[in-house]
Amino acid sequence: KYDGKQDRVVFLVKHRYSHKIVGAVGRALSSATYPKWYMYGNKDTPFKCGLHEHNEAVIVEDCASACAVSNILTGIAIMGTKLKDIQKSHLKPYKNLYICLDRDATTKAYDMAKDLRSSGFDNVIVKPLEDDLKYYNTEQVREIFYDRKTNA
């Protein structure tokens, strides 16, 4: 979607069961527009992108990164580097969770993994990357997540 008034591309946030729109996240298309990211409506439901049958998810900072992994895994954008307690319930359907925050938030990614493990999530893996996932193509994303499995 597009918000012409604010000149933003808009990602729709849906309820995890009813799939009704509960909010949205807008990304400014111009560097002159502030703030870069704008939340419409519900701020506690993360943006998800991917097939429902995926049993693995990647926690990322923004919607573009969630979309970048969606052909391989489910991308879950928490809109920042802090996972809210209320957002944890959205992670329960997934067998494996990967955390791929931006490079400058690597320490926060490991803290988040520790917090998730202490909350009962057993399979949490931090994937530190050189660049943000939104800059990777599908084949590169596949290599990041599936080379680990074949080389394990």
Side-chain angles (χ1 to χ4, degrees), residues 76-146:
I76 301 176
I78 60 171
M79 300 314 299
T81 59
K82 174 98 172 88
L83 181 67
K84 299 176 185 177
D85 284 336
I86 196 165
Q87 292 175 324
K88 291 178 187 176
S89 64
H90 295 270
L91 306 176
K92 289 183 179 180
Y94 302 99
K95 180 181 174 186
N96 297 315
L97 294 172
Y98 300 97
I99 302 172
C100 292
L101 302 183
D102 294 353
R103 188 174 182 191
D104 64 340
T106 301
T107 301
K108 290 181 181 183
Y110 282 103
D111 291 342
M112 184 185 300
K114 183 178 176 181
D115 177 53
L116 284 168
R117 288 184 194 111
S118 71
S119 297
F121 294 90
D122 296 325
N123 298 314
V124 181
I125 301 163
V126 176
K127 296 291 264 179
L129 301 172
E130 288 298 312
D131 213 346
D132 191 309
L133 277 172
K134 66 179 152 257
Y135 301 118
Y136 290 87
N137 64 38
T138 299
E139 205 45 51
Q140 292 169 316
V141 170
R142 189 182 321 278
E143 288 174 17
I144 289 166
F145 294 99
Y146 290 111

